[in-house]
Amino acid sequence: MIQKNSKAAEMRQVERLIGRILRIGVIVSALVIGLGLILMVMRGNGGYPNGIQPTGFRTIFNGVMALKPYAVIMLGLFLLILTPTLRVVVSIYAFAIEKDHLYVWITTLVLVILIIASVIGYLGH
């Protein structure tokens, strides 16, 4: 009985961690996107010529270092996309704690599909 209560308490702690990760991810991405929008209003443009967009990690990183508004917004969107992916990673950990091997495999498969889809999307632009 004591072991069951400690396991339930541990799962509540993992669920709180997942909720905290989602909240922090959304807040940080919203702040970064907001910063990019403020920079865009202050400068009057996105920092790139018309029709040019930073799409690769390196160009986004270089644009963020140069405080180009459009690159900062793209970083915020990247963080927003990354947040639920991080939630899947934490879920794998949670299912492993529960020793629920079936869901560990299913969630790991979901993570692999997310990674493959992201790579295909990145290479296809």
Side-chain angles (χ1 to χ4, degrees):
M1 184 73 166
I2 293 173
Q3 185 179 11
K4 193 173 184 177
N5 285 340
S6 68
K7 194 169 187 172
E10 192 173 340
M11 286 312 300
R12 275 194 304 271
Q13 191 176 15
V14 170
E15 288 172 5
R16 280 191 209 120
L17 175 67
I18 291 170
R20 195 174 303 145
I21 287 171
L22 290 174
R23 253 182 269 131
I24 291 171
V26 169
I27 290 170
V28 168
S29 62
L31 289 174
V32 171
I33 291 170
L35 175 66
L37 290 173
I38 290 170
L39 286 171
M40 188 176 282
V41 168
M42 289 173 52
R43 290 188 175 183
N45 62 34
Y48 293 92
N50 285 339
I52 305 289
Q53 304 163 350
T55 53
F57 291 117
R58 181 175 292 174
T59 55
I60 290 173
F61 179 76
N62 290 337
V64 168
M65 290 296 112
L67 288 178
K68 293 184 176 184
Y70 199 68
V72 174
I73 292 171
M74 292 296 285
L75 175 65
L77 291 174
F78 177 72
L79 292 174
L80 191 60
I81 292 169
L82 191 64
T83 300
T85 305
L86 192 58
R87 192 253 190 261
V88 172
V89 171
V90 174
S91 293
I92 293 171
Y93 172 72
F95 289 131
I97 287 175
E98 282 185 358
K99 298 189 186 325
D100 193 342
H101 301 293
L102 175 64
Y103 281 101
V104 168
W105 285 110
I106 290 172
T107 312
T108 303
L109 180 64
V110 169
L111 180 63
V112 169
I113 291 170
L114 282 171
I115 291 170
I116 290 171
S118 297
V119 169
I120 290 171
Y122 179 74
L123 295 176
H125 67 82

